[in-house]
Amino acid sequence: MPFLLRLLVLLVLLGFAATLAAVLLPVLRSYLGGDDRRIRDARTLPGRPDPMERLEERLDQLAVEQQHLAEQQQFITKLLEERASSQRPPDP
């Protein structure tokens, strides 16, 4: 076998081995439970708000904003009605 062909085969095999190591090692580590400790520690970090609590807080904020908008709309409607009634000519 010529030298260049052997070198090419060696490089292809090394690339294949590196690909297998890059894919299989993390999968095996995860499967065998190596990431459980890191996941557990991330869940118990202090000061990290629960996603449901954040969602509830945001919904409360949206409800308050919606209530303010409704009050503003009622006020503007009342002003427009008063303005329209004051500009009408009196009935004969």
Side-chain angles (χ1 to χ4, degrees):
M1 227 193 233
F3 174 73
L4 290 176
L5 187 58
R6 287 182 185 177
L7 183 62
L8 182 63
V9 169
L10 180 64
L11 289 175
V12 168
L13 289 176
L14 284 175
F16 183 69
T19 303
L20 280 178
V23 172
L24 288 180
L25 288 178
V27 170
L28 284 174
R29 184 173 172 208
S30 175
Y31 179 74
L32 295 175
D35 290 340
D36 284 346
R37 179 179 49 83
R38 193 169 49 218
I39 292 170
R40 264 187 275 118
D41 291 344
R43 288 183 187 156
T44 59
L45 287 176
R48 186 171 182 217
D50 183 32
M52 288 302 290
E53 288 177 10
R54 289 187 311 173
L55 181 62
E56 289 174 357
E57 289 174 5
R58 184 61 184 141
L59 286 174
D60 290 341
Q61 291 172 356
L62 288 172
V64 169
E65 290 176 19
Q66 190 268 338
Q67 184 178 3
H68 285 283
L69 288 172
E71 291 171 356
Q72 290 173 355
Q73 184 179 9
Q74 290 173 357
F75 178 74
I76 291 173
T77 303
K78 181 181 174 184
L79 286 178
L80 289 174
E81 287 175 354
E82 289 175 0
R83 182 177 178 194
S85 66
S86 67
Q87 291 180 353
R88 286 188 198 150
D91 291 332

